[in-house]
């Protein structure tokens, strides 16, 4: 365990840098989806299946990453996955078919899933050591990185090709990994007091049936909200451009609004959790997301839709961090992997589901499914609040 408050601060800063890098790289890819869709000539359903590669790669590697974290530690695994993430982001613009796009997105998704389990595991342990609900602050860094990446993408969308843009993200990402990775590898991992006393830092926890059910419950909540985040990332810009006749730059601003609102919500998340508690924060956030997404998907104008996207971001902001933190506190890296796998299962279901619904009905109608699943997250939270509080 880090031996001083300064050590913990350095660890927190290094982890925050990787959360921000993850959001920055992911958003850079997201805002170029319309251009790459045109480049590959894919239909909405074919694009949905190609986008499935990101989530499929993430889900497949998450359980494996939990085991790697227990064996090698969360810090080295975080750095290794960051390198792969930065290299793989340059591949999508090199493809010219939906099949090839899906294949390279499988690699990108594997790196994305791996780094999420690794740095979330490290963050959960740091939260336990500090004994403060700071998990939203790490995810705020992810959202801030996403907002920056989306904003940059919107600025360069009209002047830079996707190939040059994403290659630039590779170079920036590798530079950040070099600096933050050296700092992270020099930090001793945070070990919660209960595990330090038991001397089982590297061994997997044996969970009883009740605890496993709680971990799965938090995973289901994560699934419902990750579905919404994935939908905004993969389809938000396309909805604005295709259905509301927004320019490419303004369409890219849709995800920026969502990410900015989510960043604000997460920056205030620690205060909300300390004052309101987890259950009230999740219920209020889910209810807000329902209203915001109904507006964002059904509004007849671009500006009303952008406002709805922002409200959705505020609502979803703290639900996923709370779910992952609670699952990790109960189950360690395995708990983080389980909740993350279910959470990104939401992204696994989201792209093809929305793509097929868009072909069958319309994209605005398909996006209302985000509101439906946010409502499910609220209902699950209310139904299990007593057991979750006791856990």
């Amino acid at each position: 365990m880090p031996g001083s408050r300064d050590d913990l601060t350095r660890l927190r800063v290094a982890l925050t840098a990787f959360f921000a890098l993850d959001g920055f790289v992911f958003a850079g890819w997201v805002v170029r989806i319309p251009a790459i869709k045109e480049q590959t000539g894919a239909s909405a359903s074919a694009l949905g299946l190609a986008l499935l590669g990101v989530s499929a790669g993430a889900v497949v590697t998450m359980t494996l990453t939990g085991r790697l974290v227990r064996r090698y530690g969360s810090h080295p695994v975080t750095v290794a996955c960051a390198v792969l993430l930065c290299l793989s982001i340059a591949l999508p613009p090199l493809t010219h078919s939906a099949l090839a796009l899906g294949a390279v997105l499988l690699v990108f998704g594997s790196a994305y899933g791996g780094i999420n389990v690794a740095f979330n595991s490290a963050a959960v342990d740091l939260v336990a050591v500090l004994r403060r609900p700071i998990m939203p602050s790490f995810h705020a860094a992810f959202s801030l990185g996403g907002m920056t990446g989306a904003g940059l993408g919107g600025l360069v969308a009209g002047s830079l090709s996707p190939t040059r843009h994403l290659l630039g993200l590779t170079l920036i990402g590798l530079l950040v990994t070099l600096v933050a990775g050296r700092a992270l590898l020099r930090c001793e991992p945070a070990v919660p007091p209960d595990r330090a006393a038991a001397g089982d830092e590297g061994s997997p926890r044996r969970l009883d049936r009740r605890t496993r059910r709680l971990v799965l419950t938090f995973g289901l909540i994560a699934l419902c909200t990750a579905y919404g985040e994935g939908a905004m990332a993969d389809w938000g810009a396309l909805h604005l451009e295709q259905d509301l006749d927004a320019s490419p730059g303004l369409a890219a601003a849709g995800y920026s609004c969502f990410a900015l609102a989510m960043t604000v919500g997460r920056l205030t998340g620690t205060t909300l959790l300390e004052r309101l508690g987890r259950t009230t924060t999740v219920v209020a956030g889910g209810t807000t997301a329902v209203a915001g997404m109904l507006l964002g998907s059904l509004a007849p104008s671009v500006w009303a839709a952008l406002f709805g996207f922002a409200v959705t971001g505020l609502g979803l902001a703290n639900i996923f961090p709370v779910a992952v933190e609670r699952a990790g506190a109960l189950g360690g890296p395995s708990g983080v992997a389980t909740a993350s796998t279910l959470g990104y299962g939401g992204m696994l279901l989201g792209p093809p589901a929305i793509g097929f619904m868009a072909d069958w009905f319309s994209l605005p109608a398909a996006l209302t499914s985000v509101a439906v699943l946010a409502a499910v997250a609220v209902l699950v939270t209310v139904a299990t609040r007593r057991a979750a509080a006791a856990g």
Side-chain angles (χ1 to χ4, degrees):
M1 171 180 170
S4 70
R5 181 64 58 174
D6 288 342
D7 293 333
L8 294 173
T9 300
R10 282 193 290 270
L11 175 56
R12 183 176 180 179
V13 170
L15 286 174
T16 299
F18 278 106
F19 273 87
L21 173 65
D22 191 37
F24 179 77
V25 171
F26 185 73
W29 144 247
V30 162
V31 299
R32 302 317 296 254
I33 288 176
I36 292 177
K37 176 181 183 293
E38 182 179 354
Q39 173 183 303
T40 59
S43 65
S45 56
L47 177 64
L49 289 174
L51 294 173
L52 181 64
V54 177
S55 299
V59 169
V60 166
T61 59
M62 279 177 172
T63 302
L64 174 62
T65 305
R67 297 174 184 172
L68 291 175
V69 167
R70 288 195 300 270
R71 182 169 182 178
Y72 299 107
S74 57
H75 298 181
V77 176
T78 295
V79 175
C81 289
V83 172
L84 180 59
L85 182 75
C86 296
L87 292 175
S88 62
I89 191 60
L91 300 178
L94 305 180
T95 63
H96 296 280
S97 70
L99 180 63
L101 178 62
V104 300
L105 290 181
L106 190 67
V107 178
F108 177 69
S110 297
Y112 182 73
I115 195 172
N116 271 271
V117 171
F119 62 36
N120 271 299
S121 296
V124 165
D125 288 342
L126 184 57
V127 167
V129 169
L130 294 175
R131 298 184 178 180
R132 288 194 66 213
I134 63 168
M135 196 69 172
S137 70
F138 291 115
H139 288 261
F142 173 87
S143 298
L144 183 60
M147 181 189 68
T148 305
L152 177 63
L155 289 175
V156 304
S159 57
L160 274 185
S161 68
T163 302
R164 292 184 177 182
H165 174 204
L166 298 186
L167 179 60
L169 296 189
T170 293
L171 299 177
I172 294 171
L174 290 175
L175 179 60
V176 172
T177 301
L178 175 64
V179 176
R182 290 181 63 186
L184 184 62
L185 293 175
R186 290 175 180 175
C187 292
E188 289 293 325
V191 180
D194 57 339
R195 272 195 281 153
D200 65 343
E201 293 90 331
S203 60
R205 305 184 191 186
R206 294 183 178 179
L207 307 181
D208 58 37
R209 184 177 299 177
R210 176 180 173 278
T211 303
R212 285 197 297 271
R213 284 200 300 266
L214 282 174
V215 169
L216 290 173
T217 297
F218 291 124
L220 176 61
I221 294 170
L223 181 153
C224 292
T225 56
Y227 179 99
E229 292 189 52
M232 290 301 305
D234 291 343
W235 296 101
L238 196 60
H239 167 55
L240 295 174
E241 190 171 337
Q242 172 182 292
D243 300 313
L244 300 177
D245 297 322
S247 65
L250 187 57
Y255 187 72
S256 296
C257 290
F258 175 80
L260 175 60
M262 183 166 279
T263 302
V264 172
R266 287 173 170 174
L267 286 173
T268 60
T270 297
T271 301
L272 286 174
L273 289 168
E274 289 176 335
R275 293 184 178 180
L276 303 179
R278 295 185 183 92
T279 299
T280 303
T281 300
V282 170
V283 170
T287 304
T288 301
V290 171
M293 200 59 219
L294 288 175
L295 176 62
S297 59
L298 301 178
S301 71
V302 172
W303 298 108
L306 290 174
F307 179 72
F309 287 176
V311 172
T312 304
L314 281 175
L316 295 179
N318 295 305
I319 303 178
F320 190 89
V322 169
V324 171
E325 185 270 327
R326 292 309 299 150
L330 290 168
S334 295
V336 172
T338 298
S340 298
T341 300
L342 286 170
Y344 288 101
M347 291 189 180
L348 181 70
L349 294 171
I354 290 178
F356 284 121
M357 283 189 288
D359 278 348
W360 294 335
F361 306 106
S362 67
L363 184 52
L367 288 173
T368 61
S369 61
V370 174
V372 173
L373 286 188
V376 171
V378 171
L379 294 175
V380 170
T381 301
V382 171
T384 60
R385 61 188 182 278
R386 292 182 181 176

